[in-house]
């Protein structure tokens, strides 16, 4: 090698030959070193870029479809498991006697404490609160509050989530709280609002009366949570091809008895309407209703827990309000009706602009998505527009009950609705 290197030098000055050769050799070694370094650097860079690409690809997959696409098979698995829920005696039980029989609360405690998904169980005399900690946003909570047969639904869901966690190393994105109570009164809002009112993304209620009706599936509650439940119901209906008898796709909520809860937290109450007094028990139908209810609850909780961005399409809100306004034909009310209509239009425009902004947000930026979700929670709360007793001022089902009251009372009610909507518009414009 030295010979090759010094080939040119041989022809040159003889005495400097050795020196030149040494110098050449030295620079050769330096070049090799440099090349090795360059090669190593390039290879390192290549590996690093590939790793970064791989990570970006993984992240892209994680975020696809609002963060739901990657785990869609798990979501389907959950719904399939619920289809077979009646094989589980814990699902079948009515669980009505938490405060009467200590056995019940011990048994529920044992079931929940046994699940590795559940981080903490707090047991009291007539209620039990179990928390599954979220992996990405542990400080945001989706709450399922249940009593009576709803407890069976909650237990089954907890078990299925646990199974998915153990078998697929999945963890919920946001925290999930199961608050189970005896049928007499619901202590959950009080328990929760004492320490995390502004961190509850959605508060879902399935109480002991949820399955007593034989009529339509209905949901009352704050506008955004109600929308999410209805959307979940339509997904469940499509996947399992339930007919309109079991799950009507266009149910209206304002002609029924369930109104919103006296609660300033985004919420929804799910149940089957009791539209038939001659309630002779059809066991099969009731069983199916329970399974469908469980599937809708499961799907709703999945969405609230897993979606990157909680987005609201106000079409149902719009249709409901329009239907109600259409039904007003009393001449004394026409002025205020026009006012509500105009405010509603303005509100819908603001929501449209807000939704456009949401569409342009880079969902890789967790901070931005969190800010947006908090904004939606605040908007839902503002639209509830609670009074001093936490009764919603914008509950259309209440308006329907006012129908036979004197006009001035209805006008007062509608003016309050206008004020609430104006607050919401202001809130959206300030963002
Ligand atoms: C707890 O889990 C184990 C297996 O994971 C099961 O065998 C046992 O029956 C469970 N106990 C209760 C009370 O569910
Ligand atoms: C529900 O859908 C049926 C047909 O699909 C339609 O005739 C009916 O008017 C709808 N009801 C409401 C309240 O939209
Ligand atoms: C409530 O609405 C549903 C669907 O439009 C309808 O079938 C039912 O008769 C209504 N009930 C009352 C009490 O108006
Ligand atoms: C009420 O229930 C009875 C018995 O199940 C049934 O025959 C009747 O059609 C129902 N009425 C309505 C309005 O659904
Ligand atoms: C107003 O509505 C009531 C009930 O909704 C109806 O009976 C009445 O005919 C309507 N009047 C007019 C002028 O449309
Ligand atoms: C509200 O509903 C009406 C009637 O269905 C429709 O014309 C209007 O475009 C809707 N507005 C929005 C913002 O969706
Ligand atoms: C209304 O809700 C807030 C927070 O959830 C609570 O602190 C307050 O006590 C409630 N007020 C009434 C009258 O229930």
């Amino acid at each position: 090698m030295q010979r090759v290197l010094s080939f040119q030098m041989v022809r040159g000055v003889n005495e400097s030959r050795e020196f030149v050769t040494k110098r050449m050799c030295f620079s050769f070694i330096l070049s090799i070193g440099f090349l090795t370094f360059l090669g190593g650097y390039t290879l390192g860079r290549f590996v690093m870029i590939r790793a970064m690409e791989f990570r970006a690809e993984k992240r892209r997959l994680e975020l696809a479809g609002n963060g739901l696409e990657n785990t869609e098979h798990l979501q389907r698995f959950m719904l399939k498991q619920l289809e077979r829920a009646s094989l589980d005696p814990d699902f079948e039980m009515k669980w009505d006697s938490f405060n009467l029989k200590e056995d019940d609360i011990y048994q529920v405690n044992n079931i929940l404490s046994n699940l590795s998904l559940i981080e903490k169980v707090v047991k009291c005399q007539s209620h039990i609160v179990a928390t599954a900690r979220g992996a990405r946003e542990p400080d945001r909570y989706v709450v399922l509050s249940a009593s009576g047969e709803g407890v069976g639904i909650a237990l089954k869901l907890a078990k299925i989530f646990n199974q998915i966690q153990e078998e697929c190393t999945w963890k919920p994105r946001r925290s999930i709280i199961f608050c189970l109570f005896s049928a007499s009164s619901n202590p959950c809002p009080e328990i929760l609002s004492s320490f995390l009112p502004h961190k509850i993304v959605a508060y879902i209620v399935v109480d002991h009366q949820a399955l007593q009706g034989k009529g339509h599936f209905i949901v009352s509650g704050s506008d955004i949570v109600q929308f999410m439940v209805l959307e979940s119901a339509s997904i469940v209906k499509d996947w399992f091809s339930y007919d309109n008898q079991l799950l009507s796709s266009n149910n209206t909520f304002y002609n029924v008895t369930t109104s919103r809860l006296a609660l300033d937290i985004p919420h929804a109450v799910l149940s089957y309407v009791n539209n038939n007094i001659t309630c002779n028990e059809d066991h099969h139908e009731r069983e199916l209703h329970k399974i469908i209810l469980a599937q809708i609850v499961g799907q709703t909780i999945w969405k609230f827990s897993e979606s990157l961005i909680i987005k609201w399409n106000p079409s149902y809100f719009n249709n409901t309000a329009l239907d109600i306004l259409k039904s007003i034909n009393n001449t004394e009310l026409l002025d205020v009706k026009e006012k509500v209509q105009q405010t509603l239009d303005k509100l819908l425009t603001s929501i449209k602009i807000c939704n456009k902004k949401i569409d342009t947000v880079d969902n890789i930026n967790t901070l931005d998505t969190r800010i947006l979700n908090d904004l939606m929670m605040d908007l839902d709360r503002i639209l509830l527009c609670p009074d001093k007793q936490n009764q919603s001022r914008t509950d259309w089902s209440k308006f329907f009950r006012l129908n036979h009251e004197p006009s001035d009372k209805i006008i007062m009610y509608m003016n309050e609705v206008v004020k609430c909507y104006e607050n919401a518009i202001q809130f959206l414009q300030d963002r």
Side-chain angles (χ1 to χ4, degrees):
M1 189 191 282
Q2 262 188 12
R3 219 186 267 174
V4 178
L5 267 178
S6 51
F7 175 69
Q8 274 187 338
M9 301 303 142
V10 178
R11 288 186 301 170
V13 193
N14 235 3
E15 56 271 28
S16 63
R17 184 174 158 188
E18 195 148 284
F19 171 70
V20 170
T21 310
K22 267 186 188 157
R23 214 175 64 176
M24 289 298 289
C25 188
F26 184 63
S27 67
F28 175 73
I29 287 170
L30 261 185
S31 311
I32 294 281
F34 178 69
L35 283 178
T36 314
F37 172 72
L38 196 69
Y41 175 73
T42 315
L43 187 71
R45 243 184 95 76
F46 176 73
V47 169
M48 199 173 80
I49 287 171
R50 280 313 300 262
M52 269 164 67
E53 276 173 4
F54 181 72
R55 233 177 295 151
E57 175 68 10
K58 198 171 151 229
R59 188 99 178 99
R60 197 185 58 73
L61 276 177
E62 252 173 46
L63 301 178
N66 199 13
L68 298 172
E69 215 169 278
N70 201 30
T71 52
E72 193 175 319
H73 61 292
L74 301 178
Q75 181 193 321
R76 281 179 188 252
F77 173 79
M78 168 193 71
L79 294 178
K80 280 268 174 221
Q81 290 294 94
L82 286 170
E83 203 182 11
R84 290 192 288 271
S86 51
L87 299 175
D88 183 344
D90 294 335
F91 178 77
E92 288 295 278
M93 252 182 88
K94 286 193 194 290
W95 301 108
D96 250 338
S97 46
F98 272 9
N99 53 353
L100 305 176
K101 271 184 12 205
E102 289 222 314
D103 282 1
D104 271 9
I105 206 146
Y106 275 116
Q107 209 176 329
V108 168
N109 188 25
N110 281 343
I111 293 167
L112 290 171
S113 306
N114 208 15
L115 306 177
S116 59
L117 171 83
I118 302 292
E119 186 188 64
K120 196 171 83 179
V121 185
V122 177
K123 177 171 74 81
C124 292
Q125 200 197 351
S126 64
H127 68 264
I128 207 161
V129 182
T131 309
R133 195 177 150 80
R136 297 290 173 90
E137 297 181 43
D139 61 344
R140 287 295 174 273
Y141 299 85
V142 186
V143 183
L144 173 58
S145 158
S147 70
E149 286 179 281
V151 173
I153 291 174
L155 290 178
K156 188 67 200 168
L157 266 177
K159 284 185 192 175
I160 295 171
F161 286 153
N162 190 62
Q163 189 185 354
I164 295 177
Q165 188 210 12
E166 281 179 349
E167 290 172 12
C168 312
T169 60
W170 163 89
K171 284 198 107 184
R173 179 182 188 86
R174 304 189 176 91
S175 296
I176 301 174
I177 295 182
F178 300 93
C179 183
L180 313 175
F181 60 97
S182 69
S184 52
S185 71
N186 187 351
C188 301
E190 209 174 319
I191 297 162
L192 298 170
S193 72
S194 63
F195 64 105
L196 36 78
H198 288 275
K199 294 178 177 175
I200 297 176
V201 184
Y203 176 78
I204 313 285
V205 184
V206 182
D207 65 22
H208 67 290
Q209 287 176 326
L211 288 159
Q212 281 176 3
K214 289 165 64 74
H216 296 287
F217 165 75
I218 52 151
V219 45
S220 64
S222 60
D223 294 300
I224 297 179
V225 180
Q226 187 191 38
F227 157 74
M228 292 282 270
V229 176
L230 287 170
E231 208 183 45
S232 299
S234 95
I235 287 173
V236 167
K237 184 180 160 72
D238 285 351
W239 279 3
F240 293 89
S241 310
Y242 292 130
D243 62 24
N244 283 326
Q245 196 77 37
L246 283 169
L247 190 55
S248 131
S249 48
N250 63 357
N251 40 54
T252 44
F253 75 98
Y254 50 80
N255 65 352
V256 289
T257 43
T258 47
S259 44
R260 290 173 171 169
L261 301 175
L263 192 63
D264 67 346
I265 293 172
H267 67 270
V269 183
L270 284 66
S271 60
Y272 273 90
V273 200
N274 196 357
N275 64 348
N276 199 334
I277 305 121
T278 55
C279 227
N280 65 344
E281 191 78 17
D282 177 345
H283 182 73
H284 178 66
E285 189 182 274
R286 196 187 170 93
E287 193 65 51
L288 255 172
H289 277 181
K290 190 167 179 181
I291 286 170
I292 293 171
L293 201 62
Q295 287 174 323
I296 297 170
V297 171
Q299 176 68 20
T300 305
I301 289 180
W302 188 274
K303 273 207 149 164
F304 269 119
S305 162
E306 301 305 290
S307 300
L308 282 180
I309 298 179
I310 293 158
K311 204 179 147 182
W312 181 34
N313 172 354
S315 63
Y316 181 79
F317 169 75
N318 181 17
N319 290 340
T320 308
L322 286 182
D323 274 358
I324 285 163
L325 290 177
K326 238 186 266 166
S327 76
I328 298 171
N329 63 7
N330 184 338
T331 45
E332 283 172 308
L333 298 178
L334 289 183
D335 280 351
V336 73
K337 171 181 161 175
E338 184 60 28
K339 214 157 85 183
V340 175
Q341 178 72 62
Q342 280 171 4
T343 322
L344 184 69
D345 286 347
K346 264 194 246 164
L347 175 60
L348 286 168
T349 309
S350 304
I351 295 165
K352 210 176 193 172
I353 294 167
C354 174
N355 276 342
K356 276 210 184 108
K357 261 191 233 161
I358 291 179
D359 287 338
T360 60
V361 153
D362 181 6
N363 59 12
I364 286 195
N365 188 333
T366 323
L367 189 63
D368 282 357
T369 57
R370 276 176 66 99
I371 288 172
L372 274 178
N373 289 333
D374 284 355
L375 181 127
M376 291 317 265
M377 273 158 59
D378 285 343
L379 176 62
D380 210 12
R381 216 174 281 123
I382 289 169
L383 283 172
L384 272 176
C385 206
D387 64 12
K388 285 199 187 77
Q389 268 71 48
N390 286 341
Q391 297 279 355
S392 170
R393 291 189 179 96
T394 52
D395 192 348
W396 287 116
S397 73
K398 214 186 287 169
F399 170 81
F400 253 72
R401 256 167 276 148
L402 278 178
N403 232 347
H404 304 293
E405 300 278 340
S407 294
D408 56 341
K409 212 166 167 186
I410 301 182
I411 289 173
M412 221 170 73
Y413 175 85
M414 288 175 78
N415 275 325
E416 287 208 321
V417 171
V418 168
K419 254 190 255 159
C420 294
Y421 286 175
E422 276 169 353
N423 280 343
I425 295 166
Q426 192 61 47
F427 170 78
L428 284 170
Q429 280 170 355
D430 290 347
R431 301 296 120 170

